Amino acid sequence: MNSSPIGTPLNVIIVGAGLVGLATALALRRAGHHVEIYEKSSFSREVGAAVTCGPNATRILEGLGCDFGRMRAVEHTQTRYFGKDQADGDLSFVSRGSDLFEKFGAKFYLVHRVDLHTELKDRATSSVGIGESCILHLGSAVLSLDAESGTIGLGDGSYISGDIVIVADGINSSLRKFITPHTTPHPSGLAAFRTTIFFSLVNAENEPGLEWVRESKRALCLINDDDGRRNLTVYPCRGGEVLNVAGLHPRTPGAGGLEEEKGFGGHVSSPEDFLEAFKDFSARYKELIRLCPVDNVTLWPLLLFEELPTWIKGRACLVGDAAHAMFPMLGQGAAQGFEDAITLATLLPSTLSTSLSDAGKDQSDTINTRLRLFESLRKSRATEIQTLSNRIGRGLPVLKFEAEVEEMLYGYDAAGITRDALGGI
């Protein structure tokens, strides 16, 4: 892929075909560019649990033509807070978040990660839709990056050049080092169990201790211990047929044979280990954990990533977890990546090289100027949310979802703010 002449759509290289890489590809396709995605895996099997899409994420995804109905997403209508010691017959809860659509003009969805990934991939690569279909190269590991020339080196020894390279290769990014100095993340002393459970099992058990689950079919349920360093998160996805269950708890770094915590990733665990970590929670919560499939429980050590010095260099930039990996406490990891995607697409219209504001500059200068603007628009916000999300990893209380926090997270219109910024230059 060669560089484009002045006044034509850009040749865009995206490294990584996860949620954020595909969303960025789709956004830039719709902006009129030629987009090729390089992904080291082959997508041979479904992986992952569920993800929350708050109004700031939903607004972007629907604007890109994604359909939450096709994804069988469940509309989140309420967050229910329970106590860890509540007895079977106690269905009382504290509620928040039932008026998000009225406040922010977009809905909050609970969606299986695989369903969201499939939707983004289909929209990006389909022959139907706005713009030229993105080209997806699977089994194509990218080993090197020359940010100044926009050139990537592939595992087969070949090199590909483009007008811009967007690095979306995730929390364990192999290309981050070619853009910015980076310090190794450090263990937080926390880890999260993750699993999914078929809702039919909850109904089949017909146990009174599971009534709190059956009564929360469209709610996100949070069960905290006294200091908040252990909690269960339970919510539905896939049309209410599947429950996503996560259990955050303290653990000793390197315990359980997980010395490889220098990297981030899930490790095979078991319902028994999950139960042991929450053995002092009331019986009804342990009843749910017992329904976990024996072959579908993973344990994810949570690592603390510091703010990066920069996200950009030459013709290249970082997006998503490669730029701002964060704890899941605010449900904003994917959402911040989607904000990156729509900001880039708004800053890089197909007419970029002939725009009045960039007159007199060569293409390389124009692209770098827009990438600097991208960083100025995105870095401070994403870093603030990263810091707030990571509070529990630094021994601080989890941030409460008060109205001010909801407004900061969900009221943000990334595309609108970017258009306003362009109007001022």
Side-chain angles (χ1 to χ4, degrees):
M1 188 160 54
N2 298 315
S3 295
S4 304
I6 293 293
T8 63
L10 299 175
N11 284 322
V12 179
I13 295 172
I14 295 179
V15 181
L19 297 180
V20 175
L22 290 171
T24 306
L26 174 58
L28 288 166
R29 164 191 170 158
R30 291 169 64 94
H33 301 297
H34 174 78
V35 182
E36 299 199 25
I37 314 160
Y38 293 84
E39 166 60 40
K40 66 181 179 182
S41 76
S42 59
F43 294 164
S44 59
R45 64 187 181 93
E46 289 191 352
V47 294
V51 62
T52 60
C53 288
N56 58 320
T58 299
R59 190 179 298 116
I60 293 167
L61 293 172
E62 291 184 331
L64 293 176
C66 294
D67 186 333
F68 283 92
R70 279 194 298 261
M71 290 183 260
R72 295 182 291 163
V74 174
E75 183 187 349
H76 164 271
T77 58
Q78 192 177 58
T79 298
R80 295 183 172 188
Y81 296 88
F82 295 98
K84 81 176 183 70
D85 298 318
Q86 283 184 240
D88 288 357
D90 182 1
L91 300 182
S92 61
F93 57 86
V94 177
S95 172
R96 279 197 64 81
S98 58
D99 56 352
L100 296 179
F101 179 73
E102 289 75 14
K103 284 183 179 178
F104 304 113
K107 295 181 178 181
F108 190 130
Y109 285 106
L110 310 168
V111 58
H112 198 287
R113 181 178 293 271
V114 171
D115 298 333
L116 176 54
H117 187 269
T118 298
E119 177 73 5
L120 286 166
K121 177 170 64 69
D122 290 349
R123 300 285 72 72
T125 60
S126 173
S127 60
V128 178
I130 298 172
E132 176 189 349
S133 302
C134 301
I135 300 172
L136 176 58
H137 303 273
L138 296 177
S140 298
V142 179
L143 305 183
S144 65
L145 165 65
D146 183 333
E148 297 299 338
S149 66
T151 302
I152 58 172
L154 301 179
D156 63 4
S158 63
Y159 292 88
I160 308 292
S161 296
D163 298 313
I164 183 170
V165 178
I166 299 168
V167 177
D169 59 347
I171 197 166
N172 287 322
S173 173
S174 63
L175 298 189
R176 186 190 289 126
K177 63 188 176 184
F178 294 102
I179 293 178
T180 182
H182 172 60
T183 56
T184 302
H186 52 275
S188 67
L190 296 168
F193 291 101
R194 293 181 181 176
T195 189
T196 54
I197 299 170
F198 285 109
F199 205 95
S200 58
L201 293 176
V202 175
N203 289 328
E205 287 295 312
N206 201 30
E207 293 287 343
L210 295 175
E211 192 63 24
W212 67 277
V213 182
R214 289 190 286 269
E215 291 294 318
S216 306
K217 291 183 178 178
R218 298 180 71 186
L220 188 153
C221 299
L222 294 173
I223 305 99
N224 293 315
D225 68 2
D226 294 336
D227 65 5
R229 285 180 65 81
R230 278 187 308 155
N231 64 68
L232 293 173
T233 303
V234 181
Y235 60 85
C237 59
R238 289 192 162 169
E241 296 177 5
V242 174
L243 281 173
N244 181 79
V245 182
L248 180 76
H249 67 293
R251 59 182 297 281
T252 303
L258 302 186
E259 288 80 9
E260 57 274 282
E261 285 183 7
K262 293 178 182 178
F264 181 92
H267 309 272
V268 175
S269 188
S270 68
E272 290 76 21
D273 289 344
F274 198 161
L275 278 168
E276 177 63 23
F278 290 86
K279 61 185 178 182
D280 62 331
F281 275 48
S282 70
R284 69 184 196 174
Y285 305 123
K286 290 184 284 189
E287 188 66 30
L288 180 65
I289 295 172
R290 288 190 184 96
L291 297 179
C292 295
V294 295
D295 60 348
N296 185 29
V297 179
T298 54
L299 180 62
W300 296 72
L302 301 186
L303 305 182
L304 282 166
F305 285 77
E306 305 295 342
E307 177 184 359
L308 296 176
T310 183
W311 296 0
I312 65 168
K313 182 178 180 181
R315 291 176 174 266
C317 71
L318 300 167
V319 296
D321 282 348
H324 43 72
M326 62 188 70
F327 281 19
M329 311 314 297
L330 299 182
Q332 282 290 303
Q336 289 310 296
F338 299 150
E339 288 185 8
D340 294 343
I342 199 64
T343 300
L344 275 173
T346 306
L347 288 171
L348 299 171
S350 60
T351 56
L352 171 66
S353 297
T354 56
S355 64
L356 180 62
S357 61
D358 296 303
K361 299 178 181 178
D362 66 26
Q363 188 203 62
S364 180
D365 286 344
T366 298
I367 289 172
N368 187 255
T369 296
R370 292 300 172 97
L371 290 181
R372 289 198 301 272
L373 182 54
F374 164 73
E375 184 176 66
S376 71
L377 288 169
R378 292 292 308 136
K379 192 169 184 288
S380 60
R381 170 172 165 81
T383 298
E384 178 184 11
I385 294 172
Q386 179 188 43
T387 301
L388 295 174
S389 297
N390 291 355
R391 282 169 57 90
I392 192 171
R394 303 185 189 281
L396 300 172
V398 175
L399 195 68
K400 293 183 178 180
F401 268 81
E402 305 293 351
E404 184 178 353
V405 175
E406 288 183 347
E407 178 63 36
M408 185 266 287
L409 295 178
Y410 305 145
Y412 189 84
D413 179 4
I417 287 171
T418 305
R419 287 191 293 268
D420 290 345
L422 284 174
I425 62 175

